[in-house]
Amino acid sequence: MLDKWIKTLLFPEAEKHWQRKIDDRFVLVFDTDANTFFLYDNHELSCQFTWADILEIQVLRRSEFPPLSWKIITDHGEWLIPIGGRYAELLEEKINHLPNYSRQQNVELPPPSGYRTATSQWRRNNTLPFRPDVDWEDIGYL
């Protein structure tokens, strides 16, 4: 199993393979009027959550399929969403618009059962200092 994971990391074609597997199995639909996500797993509703009162966004990694997942934690529950597939940009856009998302430090967490690593990427009540501001022109990106 670990060999497959290493191949996925080293060979882009293998990565495309698991991305296709995610697209074949999972569909994420966003209702803009209700600000609600619906995740379908093999055409059956797996979870539904409203994009409100977000407490934390985590990234979980395991050696099984799907290898990476977002853990969305809100005041009303927790949801696991596989990372990847055609819908990824939709959720990434919502995550990127969380206050100070790009400035928060990533924090390693004890992984839940079945996962190898867990990283907190954003916390509503963040007590850690932010990353320093970067002037993109000074480092040659603009």
Side-chain angles (χ1 to χ4, degrees):
M1 196 57 127
L2 184 57
D3 289 342
K4 288 182 183 178
W5 175 248
I6 291 170
K7 287 178 185 175
T8 299
L9 293 175
L10 297 178
F11 302 104
E13 197 55 44
E15 180 180 329
K16 290 178 187 174
H17 173 70
W18 69 259
Q19 294 287 350
R20 283 191 298 270
K21 283 177 64 176
I22 288 175
D23 283 338
D24 290 345
R25 180 170 162 186
F26 296 98
V27 175
L28 187 71
V29 177
F30 180 61
D31 178 350
T32 54
D33 294 333
N35 205 25
T36 302
F37 282 96
F38 302 88
L39 179 69
Y40 294 89
D41 183 349
N42 287 322
H43 306 289
E44 292 196 22
L45 185 61
S46 172
C47 74
Q48 169 184 339
F49 63 96
T50 301
W51 189 260
D53 303 323
I54 306 295
L55 293 173
E56 186 172 9
I57 304 291
Q58 298 177 3
V59 172
L60 308 178
R61 179 186 305 261
R62 63 179 169 189
S63 55
E64 301 170 16
F65 179 80
L68 300 170
S69 296
W70 283 295
K71 183 176 184 182
I72 312 293
I73 303 170
T74 73
D75 287 332
H76 309 291
E78 300 178 356
W79 294 273
L80 291 175
I81 310 294
I83 294 178
R86 285 175 283 220
Y87 63 76
E89 287 182 25
L90 176 68
L91 192 51
E92 286 171 0
E93 181 180 329
K94 296 296 274 185
I95 292 171
N96 287 338
H97 284 90
L98 290 167
N100 290 313
Y101 172 76
S102 64
R103 297 192 58 218
Q104 283 203 20
Q105 296 183 24
N106 293 343
V107 178
E108 295 296 320
L109 304 169
S113 179
Y115 290 88
R116 294 184 340 176
T117 64
T119 305
S120 176
Q121 289 195 310
W122 182 88
R123 298 153 299 285
R124 181 171 69 193
N125 298 321
N126 185 39
T127 58
L128 298 172
F130 289 131
R131 294 178 180 144
D133 283 329
V134 174
D135 187 340
W136 295 105
E137 289 183 29
D138 287 346
I139 60 174
Y141 283 109
L142 294 177

